[in-house]
Amino acid sequence: QQTADELSAKGVDAIAIEADLADYGSMTAAAKSCFAHYGNIDLLFLNAGIQKVGSFLELPLEDHLKTIDVNLKGVLHGCRALLPSMIDSDIPSHIMTTTASAALLTPNKLSSYNASKSGAQSLVETIHHELRELGSKVTVSTLLPAAVKTQLFDWARYGGQASEASGDFEQS
């Protein structure tokens, strides 16, 4: 809400919509709110991620599943909830997803993160080809940053030891 308020104060038509990327119902509700307010979406950024650092066998199954829910299902839900209406709008528009260099590399101690980012990368590449076949005016692409100093990096835990900041999951 703070960001929307700051933008509104500068004359930008901005609204805050809370959504849970891991919940498709939440994403469809957010999509409906966006389209109700703006009529269409020209540019959509899907930029969420969590990361738990530790060996595959050390991390609890719940941590693996939560990582996949946000990093992979978040992209799936966002694209699925918004893409049909974006296509129907028949205007040039774009979806930019943030995966990570981990989509192409496999850093140690990041098994679920690597897998989820690779899955998201593959999903977006497939959607790209399907949109081209449809002749859609909607395009999609990915951004694959390497390690960037964000809250995602700050909240890491490595082998049960907290990094500079404490927290269970890294988030960006």
Side-chain angles (χ1 to χ4, degrees):
Q1 184 62 54
Q2 179 183 351
T3 301
D5 292 342
E6 289 172 9
L7 290 169
S8 294
K10 295 179 181 181
V12 176
D13 182 10
I15 58 172
I17 300 171
E18 184 174 335
D20 178 357
L21 288 172
D23 179 338
Y24 182 67
S26 177
M27 287 304 295
T28 57
K32 287 179 185 176
S33 294
C34 285
F35 282 100
H37 184 82
Y38 293 109
N40 60 54
I41 295 175
D42 300 323
L43 185 58
L44 172 66
F45 291 91
L46 295 174
N47 181 38
I50 62 170
Q51 174 184 73
K52 184 76 175 218
V53 180
S55 76
F56 176 76
L57 293 176
E58 288 174 343
L59 294 177
L61 177 61
E62 298 80 29
D63 291 350
H64 291 289
L65 296 174
K66 183 175 181 180
T67 299
I68 290 166
D69 280 349
V70 173
N71 297 355
L72 176 55
K73 286 184 172 180
V75 173
L76 172 70
H77 294 160
C79 288
R80 187 74 178 128
L82 291 142
L83 195 52
S85 294
M86 291 174 77
I87 292 169
D88 289 345
S89 294
D90 198 35
I91 60 170
S93 54
H94 187 75
I95 299 174
M96 171 63 75
T97 62
T98 302
T99 58
S101 60
L104 306 176
L105 309 171
T106 54
N108 194 24
K109 306 271 187 186
L110 296 173
S111 57
S112 296
Y113 182 77
N114 297 341
S116 64
K117 293 300 187 172
S118 292
Q121 180 70 28
S122 181
L123 176 65
V124 173
E125 288 178 15
T126 302
I127 293 169
H128 165 78
H129 294 297
E130 291 176 2
L131 289 170
R132 288 184 69 188
E133 286 178 8
L134 287 173
S136 174
K137 293 180 181 177
V138 180
T139 56
V140 295
S141 63
T142 58
L143 175 65
L144 291 95
V148 177
K149 184 74 172 153
T150 66
Q151 288 178 339
L152 178 70
F153 201 71
D154 287 341
W155 295 342
R157 284 186 172 272
Y158 186 80
Q161 300 300 312
S163 66
E164 296 175 20
S166 62
D168 288 330
F169 277 92
E170 298 182 6
Q171 300 180 343
S172 69

